[in-house]
PDB file of all heavy atoms in Angstrom:
ATOM      1  N   TYR A1027     -36.403  12.869  -8.590  1.00 97.00           N
ATOM      2  CA  TYR A1027     -37.747  12.305  -8.461  1.00 97.00           C
ATOM      3  C   TYR A1027     -38.789  13.385  -8.290  1.00 97.00           C
ATOM      4  O   TYR A1027     -39.905  13.261  -8.780  1.00 97.00           O
ATOM      5  CB  TYR A1027     -37.814  11.277  -7.324  1.00 97.00           C
ATOM      6  CG  TYR A1027     -37.525   9.900  -7.851  1.00 97.00           C
ATOM      7  CD1 TYR A1027     -36.214   9.446  -7.975  1.00 97.00           C
ATOM      8  CD2 TYR A1027     -38.548   9.084  -8.306  1.00 97.00           C
ATOM      9  CE1 TYR A1027     -35.939   8.212  -8.515  1.00 97.00           C
ATOM     10  CE2 TYR A1027     -38.281   7.843  -8.857  1.00 97.00           C
ATOM     11  CZ  TYR A1027     -36.979   7.408  -8.956  1.00 97.00           C
ATOM     12  OH  TYR A1027     -36.719   6.188  -9.519  1.00 97.00           O
ATOM     13  N   TYR A1102     -34.444  10.958 -17.132  1.00 95.00           N
ATOM     14  CA  TYR A1102     -34.249   9.512 -17.028  1.00 95.00           C
ATOM     15  C   TYR A1102     -35.288   8.919 -16.079  1.00 95.00           C
ATOM     16  O   TYR A1102     -35.946   7.923 -16.383  1.00 95.00           O
ATOM     17  CB  TYR A1102     -32.822   9.258 -16.515  1.00 95.00           C
ATOM     18  CG  TYR A1102     -32.441   7.822 -16.345  1.00 95.00           C
ATOM     19  CD1 TYR A1102     -32.064   7.051 -17.440  1.00 95.00           C
ATOM     20  CD2 TYR A1102     -32.427   7.235 -15.080  1.00 95.00           C
ATOM     21  CE1 TYR A1102     -31.700   5.736 -17.279  1.00 95.00           C
ATOM     22  CE2 TYR A1102     -32.060   5.912 -14.909  1.00 95.00           C
ATOM     23  CZ  TYR A1102     -31.696   5.168 -16.010  1.00 95.00           C
ATOM     24  OH  TYR A1102     -31.333   3.864 -15.854  1.00 95.00           O
ATOM     25  N   MET A1106     -38.330   6.138 -16.565  1.00 96.00           N
ATOM     26  CA  MET A1106     -38.433   4.964 -15.692  1.00 96.00           C
ATOM     27  C   MET A1106     -39.821   4.894 -15.082  1.00 96.00           C
ATOM     28  O   MET A1106     -40.463   3.846 -15.054  1.00 96.00           O
ATOM     29  CB  MET A1106     -37.416   5.056 -14.541  1.00 96.00           C
ATOM     30  CG  MET A1106     -35.982   4.912 -14.947  1.00 96.00           C
ATOM     31  SD  MET A1106     -35.632   3.253 -15.477  1.00 96.00           S
ATOM     32  CE  MET A1106     -35.242   2.533 -13.935  1.00 96.00           C
ATOM     33  N   SER A1144     -42.770  -1.509  -8.501  1.00 96.00           N
ATOM     34  CA  SER A1144     -41.994  -1.290  -9.719  1.00 96.00           C
ATOM     35  C   SER A1144     -41.260   0.056  -9.666  1.00 96.00           C
ATOM     36  O   SER A1144     -40.127   0.173 -10.138  1.00 96.00           O
ATOM     37  CB  SER A1144     -42.934  -1.358 -10.922  1.00 96.00           C
ATOM     38  OG  SER A1144     -42.313  -0.878 -12.065  1.00 96.00           O
ATOM     39  N   LEU A1145     -41.907   1.060  -9.070  1.00 97.00           N
ATOM     40  CA  LEU A1145     -41.245   2.358  -8.907  1.00 97.00           C
ATOM     41  C   LEU A1145     -40.019   2.235  -8.012  1.00 97.00           C
ATOM     42  O   LEU A1145     -38.990   2.867  -8.256  1.00 97.00           O
ATOM     43  CB  LEU A1145     -42.214   3.377  -8.299  1.00 97.00           C
ATOM     44  CG  LEU A1145     -43.298   3.949  -9.221  1.00 97.00           C
ATOM     45  CD1 LEU A1145     -44.310   4.752  -8.421  1.00 97.00           C
ATOM     46  CD2 LEU A1145     -42.676   4.812 -10.305  1.00 97.00           C
ATOM     47  N   ILE A1146     -40.117   1.399  -6.988  1.00 96.00           N
ATOM     48  CA  ILE A1146     -38.977   1.227  -6.082  1.00 96.00           C
ATOM     49  C   ILE A1146     -37.825   0.550  -6.812  1.00 96.00           C
ATOM     50  O   ILE A1146     -36.672   0.969  -6.704  1.00 96.00           O
ATOM     51  CB  ILE A1146     -39.396   0.438  -4.820  1.00 96.00           C
ATOM     52  CG1 ILE A1146     -40.392   1.270  -4.008  1.00 96.00           C
ATOM     53  CG2 ILE A1146     -38.174   0.090  -3.968  1.00 96.00           C
ATOM     54  CD1 ILE A1146     -41.013   0.549  -2.835  1.00 96.00           C
ATOM     55  N   VAL A1147     -38.145  -0.486  -7.581  1.00 96.00           N
ATOM     56  CA  VAL A1147     -37.104  -1.140  -8.378  1.00 96.00           C
ATOM     57  C   VAL A1147     -36.454  -0.114  -9.319  1.00 96.00           C
ATOM     58  O   VAL A1147     -35.236  -0.048  -9.447  1.00 96.00           O
ATOM     59  CB  VAL A1147     -37.693  -2.320  -9.189  1.00 96.00           C
ATOM     60  CG1 VAL A1147     -36.662  -2.887 -10.143  1.00 96.00           C
ATOM     61  CG2 VAL A1147     -38.185  -3.415  -8.247  1.00 96.00           C
ATOM     62  N   GLY A1148     -37.304   0.704  -9.938  1.00 96.00           N
ATOM     63  CA  GLY A1148     -36.802   1.748 -10.827  1.00 96.00           C
ATOM     64  C   GLY A1148     -35.889   2.725 -10.099  1.00 96.00           C
ATOM     65  O   GLY A1148     -34.868   3.156 -10.639  1.00 96.00           O
ATOM     66  N   SER A1149     -36.228   3.046  -8.868  1.00 96.00           N
ATOM     67  CA  SER A1149     -35.421   4.017  -8.127  1.00 96.00           C
ATOM     68  C   SER A1149     -34.043   3.447  -7.789  1.00 96.00           C
ATOM     69  O   SER A1149     -33.060   4.175  -7.727  1.00 96.00           O
ATOM     70  CB  SER A1149     -36.155   4.476  -6.870  1.00 96.00           C
ATOM     71  OG  SER A1149     -36.124   3.466  -5.897  1.00 96.00           O
ATOM     72  N   VAL A1150     -33.978   2.129  -7.606  1.00 96.00           N
ATOM     73  CA  VAL A1150     -32.676   1.497  -7.373  1.00 96.00           C
ATOM     74  C   VAL A1150     -31.794   1.682  -8.606  1.00 96.00           C
ATOM     75  O   VAL A1150     -30.627   2.077  -8.511  1.00 96.00           O
ATOM     76  CB  VAL A1150     -32.850  -0.011  -7.056  1.00 96.00           C
ATOM     77  CG1 VAL A1150     -31.508  -0.720  -7.025  1.00 96.00           C
ATOM     78  CG2 VAL A1150     -33.588  -0.198  -5.741  1.00 96.00           C
ATOM     79  N   ILE A1151     -32.388   1.418  -9.761  1.00 96.00           N
ATOM     80  CA  ILE A1151     -31.640   1.562 -11.010  1.00 96.00           C
ATOM     81  C   ILE A1151     -31.214   3.024 -11.200  1.00 96.00           C
ATOM     82  O   ILE A1151     -30.077   3.316 -11.563  1.00 96.00           O
ATOM     83  CB  ILE A1151     -32.489   1.071 -12.204  1.00 96.00           C
ATOM     84  CG1 ILE A1151     -32.843  -0.406 -11.994  1.00 96.00           C
ATOM     85  CG2 ILE A1151     -31.743   1.260 -13.517  1.00 96.00           C
ATOM     86  CD1 ILE A1151     -33.863  -0.942 -12.964  1.00 96.00           C
ATOM     87  N   SER A1152     -32.135   3.942 -10.903  1.00 96.00           N
ATOM     88  CA  SER A1152     -31.817   5.370 -11.046  1.00 96.00           C
ATOM     89  C   SER A1152     -30.678   5.768 -10.105  1.00 96.00           C
ATOM     90  O   SER A1152     -29.762   6.486 -10.506  1.00 96.00           O
ATOM     91  CB  SER A1152     -33.042   6.228 -10.729  1.00 96.00           C
ATOM     92  OG  SER A1152     -34.096   5.891 -11.569  1.00 96.00           O
ATOM     93  N   LEU A1153     -30.752   5.296  -8.864  1.00 96.00           N
ATOM     94  CA  LEU A1153     -29.705   5.634  -7.892  1.00 96.00           C
ATOM     95  C   LEU A1153     -28.337   5.201  -8.381  1.00 96.00           C
ATOM     96  O   LEU A1153     -27.360   5.951  -8.301  1.00 96.00           O
ATOM     97  CB  LEU A1153     -30.001   4.968  -6.541  1.00 96.00           C
ATOM     98  CG  LEU A1153     -30.932   5.731  -5.593  1.00 96.00           C
ATOM     99  CD1 LEU A1153     -31.314   4.844  -4.411  1.00 96.00           C
ATOM    100  CD2 LEU A1153     -30.258   7.006  -5.091  1.00 96.00           C
ATOM    101  N   VAL A1154     -28.270   3.985  -8.898  1.00 96.00           N
ATOM    102  CA  VAL A1154     -26.984   3.463  -9.363  1.00 96.00           C
ATOM    103  C   VAL A1154     -26.485   4.287 -10.557  1.00 96.00           C
ATOM    104  O   VAL A1154     -25.299   4.610 -10.658  1.00 96.00           O
ATOM    105  CB  VAL A1154     -27.106   1.963  -9.725  1.00 96.00           C
ATOM    106  CG1 VAL A1154     -25.835   1.450 -10.377  1.00 96.00           C
ATOM    107  CG2 VAL A1154     -27.423   1.152  -8.473  1.00 96.00           C
ATOM    108  N   THR A1155     -27.403   4.660 -11.444  1.00 94.00           N
ATOM    109  CA  THR A1155     -27.027   5.497 -12.582  1.00 94.00           C
ATOM    110  C   THR A1155     -26.511   6.854 -12.109  1.00 94.00           C
ATOM    111  O   THR A1155     -25.484   7.340 -12.583  1.00 94.00           O
ATOM    112  CB  THR A1155     -28.245   5.704 -13.505  1.00 94.00           C
ATOM    113  OG1 THR A1155     -28.763   4.427 -13.846  1.00 94.00           O
ATOM    114  CG2 THR A1155     -27.857   6.457 -14.768  1.00 94.00           C
ATOM    115  N   ILE A1156     -27.238   7.453 -11.163  1.00 95.00           N
ATOM    116  CA  ILE A1156     -26.828   8.767 -10.661  1.00 95.00           C
ATOM    117  C   ILE A1156     -25.472   8.678  -9.964  1.00 95.00           C
ATOM    118  O   ILE A1156     -24.620   9.559 -10.105  1.00 95.00           O
ATOM    119  CB  ILE A1156     -27.903   9.341  -9.711  1.00 95.00           C
ATOM    120  CG1 ILE A1156     -29.190   9.635 -10.493  1.00 95.00           C
ATOM    121  CG2 ILE A1156     -27.403  10.616  -9.028  1.00 95.00           C
ATOM    122  CD1 ILE A1156     -30.370  10.013  -9.631  1.00 95.00           C
ATOM    123  N   LEU A1157     -25.250   7.572  -9.258  1.00 95.00           N
ATOM    124  CA  LEU A1157     -23.955   7.378  -8.605  1.00 95.00           C
ATOM    125  C   LEU A1157     -22.835   7.366  -9.653  1.00 95.00           C
ATOM    126  O   LEU A1157     -21.780   7.971  -9.463  1.00 95.00           O
ATOM    127  CB  LEU A1157     -23.969   6.068  -7.813  1.00 95.00           C
ATOM    128  CG  LEU A1157     -22.766   5.837  -6.907  1.00 95.00           C
ATOM    129  CD1 LEU A1157     -23.238   5.341  -5.552  1.00 95.00           C
ATOM    130  CD2 LEU A1157     -21.784   4.844  -7.500  1.00 95.00           C
ATOM    131  N   ILE A1202     -26.992  -0.333  -1.956  1.00 96.00           N
ATOM    132  CA  ILE A1202     -28.200   0.292  -2.518  1.00 96.00           C
ATOM    133  C   ILE A1202     -29.080  -0.763  -3.177  1.00 96.00           C
ATOM    134  O   ILE A1202     -30.282  -0.846  -2.944  1.00 96.00           O
ATOM    135  CB  ILE A1202     -27.822   1.378  -3.559  1.00 96.00           C
ATOM    136  CG1 ILE A1202     -27.135   2.563  -2.873  1.00 96.00           C
ATOM    137  CG2 ILE A1202     -29.057   1.850  -4.322  1.00 96.00           C
ATOM    138  CD1 ILE A1202     -26.585   3.616  -3.828  1.00 96.00           C
ATOM    139  N   GLN A1203     -28.434  -1.597  -3.986  1.00 96.00           N
ATOM    140  CA  GLN A1203     -29.160  -2.620  -4.731  1.00 96.00           C
ATOM    141  C   GLN A1203     -29.912  -3.578  -3.797  1.00 96.00           C
ATOM    142  O   GLN A1203     -31.102  -3.804  -3.946  1.00 96.00           O
ATOM    143  CB  GLN A1203     -28.157  -3.402  -5.591  1.00 96.00           C
ATOM    144  CG  GLN A1203     -28.746  -4.496  -6.446  1.00 96.00           C
ATOM    145  CD  GLN A1203     -29.376  -3.952  -7.715  1.00 96.00           C
ATOM    146  OE1 GLN A1203     -28.947  -2.916  -8.227  1.00 96.00           O
ATOM    147  NE2 GLN A1203     -30.407  -4.611  -8.199  1.00 96.00           N
ATOM    148  N   MET A1207     -33.988  -3.659  -3.317  1.00 95.00           N
ATOM    149  CA  MET A1207     -34.753  -4.823  -3.743  1.00 95.00           C
ATOM    150  C   MET A1207     -35.507  -5.428  -2.568  1.00 95.00           C
ATOM    151  O   MET A1207     -36.618  -5.916  -2.719  1.00 95.00           O
ATOM    152  CB  MET A1207     -33.836  -5.871  -4.376  1.00 95.00           C
ATOM    153  CG  MET A1207     -33.236  -5.427  -5.691  1.00 95.00           C
ATOM    154  SD  MET A1207     -34.392  -4.519  -6.725  1.00 95.00           S
ATOM    155  CE  MET A1207     -34.596  -5.639  -8.058  1.00 95.00           C
TER     156      MET A1207
END
Side-chain angles (χ1 to χ4, degrees):
Chain A
Y1027 269 85
Y1102 180 79
M1106 291 291 273
S1144 167
L1145 285 170
I1146 294 173
V1147 173
S1149 74
V1150 171
I1151 300 170
S1152 302
L1153 274 170
V1154 173
T1155 306
I1156 294 172
L1157 189 135
I1202 292 174
Q1203 181 80 29
M1207 293 320 247

